[in-house]
Amino acid sequence: MIRRPPRSTLSSSSAASDVYKRQKVKSGTGMVKVLRSHAFTGVERLDSDEDVYGRVRRLVRKARDDKEACTVFMYGMTGSGKTYTTDLIHRLAPSDLFESCDDIVELVSYELIGNRCFDLLGSGKQEVFLRVGQDGTTHVRGVTEQTANSPEQLHALLVHCAEQRETGTTGTNSTSSRSHAVYQMRVKHGGSFTVIDLAGNEGTIETAYHSRAQMKEAAEINSSLSTLRQCLHARAAGKSHIPFRESVLTRVLRDALTSAEVRIAVVACVSPACSHLERTLATLRSAVELSAECTQISIHEEQLREEGIRRGGPTKWSVEELECWLTENGFGQTVVQMPRGTTGSQIMKLTAARLMKFCHNGDSDLAKDLFQRLRHASKQAAELDKKLRRELKNSDKPSTSAGFSRSCLLYTSPSPRDS
């Protein structure tokens, strides 16, 4: 599932897609601007809170009614809305877990910061320890477990856990989650429903002003997320080997990653900001990989022509533009009657002598005047094009994709109405 904020401008379709502008070097042309569109199959676009929880509710009911183990991962770059979506589930899931039953729900919650683990449910946020049992499974020892007898009580406990999470300031988000949080709800006579709010993966822009400690923290987060992606892809593809031992996060989640009886969903959150383009595309590619889709991503490019590069002048005038120019320069239908559908390119091919038959009473002086004015307009357009080319060549070039997306200065040749 792909979650994008409501201000999205994506076109509605069965596959998630994204469109953006970029620069590239084209053989025989040089540097050009192209409009590139991607289409991602195997993922489902969700724009509203109702859409998101409507898909997650299936897993909540599976855990309650069918006694199954269900896990939901929140995945995406920092600042893309993962914690917001987690809070949404915390708010709505308790009512569904307690619906039509008077059972007890047991809650366990902890966060992983690098190789360390901290209890989120107990008082004082005590560190708990990871221990490997005889069966090779990693267990969280010393974590607090509390029971809830009502939706309100369970929601209050989830809110308390969320408030204990480790946060920090990044280049994207002032309260970015700096840990992987696990919220495991077990229905006493049913199954379990687990929500995992992953820390956001970060790129060069997000880590530009990090300290040494923050850089180390970001590297650990990216490394654990990379291992998790490999495990989820291997599980979705039905591979026999799942590399869960490569990270503490995946060792703790071994049961969810290796057991075929556990249902897993991934909510991939993306940002609409143009400066987050690369991270958005990386998240969408990961979503396709996690769905085990073998089809390649569809990419279409359309070259954009700069108006300042294209020549202007009479030879480029349309029928309407030519008629407008003739009227404004005193050569209206009562004076010059050109054949219907004549364009600027066609009239520029006529000599003064051939223009005479279209002038009133075959006036030669009028034909010469029309011929000279057309040449003068063509000369003015050529000089303006040369000036605009020089300005475009000497203007500052954007050095990043974000700068390129913000560069909207277009050089245009004047229309006949402006001449």
Side-chain angles (χ1 to χ4, degrees), residues 253-310:
L253 302 176
R254 174 186 175 180
D255 291 342
L257 297 173
T258 59
S259 175
E261 298 178 356
V262 178
R263 292 181 179 269
I264 289 182
V266 178
V267 180
C269 302
V270 296
S271 168
C274 62
S275 57
H276 299 160
L277 171 63
E278 288 81 2
R279 309 306 301 173
T280 294
L281 289 175
T283 299
L284 289 170
R285 293 190 189 101
S286 297
V288 174
E289 292 177 1
L290 298 183
S291 64
E293 284 287 332
C294 298
T295 56
Q296 292 188 351
I297 300 170
S298 175
I299 302 176
H300 173 71
E301 286 187 348
E302 177 185 353
Q303 184 174 336
L304 302 178
R305 296 195 61 179
E306 289 286 356
E307 297 293 337
I309 301 301
R310 188 176 62 196

Side-chain angles (χ1 to χ4, degrees), residues 221-346:
I221 291 173
N222 289 343
S223 176
S224 62
L225 290 175
S226 176
T227 303
L228 178 63
R229 284 198 305 270
Q230 295 175 26
C231 292
L232 290 174
H233 177 61
R235 185 184 191 275
K239 295 182 179 179
S240 58
H241 173 67
I242 298 178
F244 65 88
R245 294 183 179 86
E246 304 298 323
S247 166
V248 172
L249 172 65
T250 50
R251 288 203 301 268
V252 171
L253 302 176
R254 174 186 175 180
D255 291 342
L257 297 173
T258 59
S259 175
E261 298 178 356
V262 178
R263 292 181 179 269
I264 289 182
V266 178
V267 180
C269 302
V270 296
S271 168
C274 62
S275 57
H276 299 160
L277 171 63
E278 288 81 2
R279 309 306 301 173
T280 294
L281 289 175
T283 299
L284 289 170
R285 293 190 189 101
S286 297
V288 174
E289 292 177 1
L290 298 183
S291 64
E293 284 287 332
C294 298
T295 56
Q296 292 188 351
I297 300 170
S298 175
I299 302 176
H300 173 71
E301 286 187 348
E302 177 185 353
Q303 184 174 336
L304 302 178
R305 296 195 61 179
E306 289 286 356
E307 297 293 337
I309 301 301
R310 188 176 62 196
R311 289 190 60 194
T315 57
K316 300 298 181 182
W317 289 349
S318 64
V319 175
E320 294 77 13
E321 289 174 330
L322 175 60
E323 291 177 353
C324 177
W325 184 87
L326 290 173
T327 301
E328 293 183 354
N329 285 272
F331 300 106
Q333 288 291 330
T334 59
V335 180
V336 177
Q337 295 183 348
M338 298 300 300
R340 184 180 300 274
T342 302
T343 63
S345 175
Q346 293 170 334

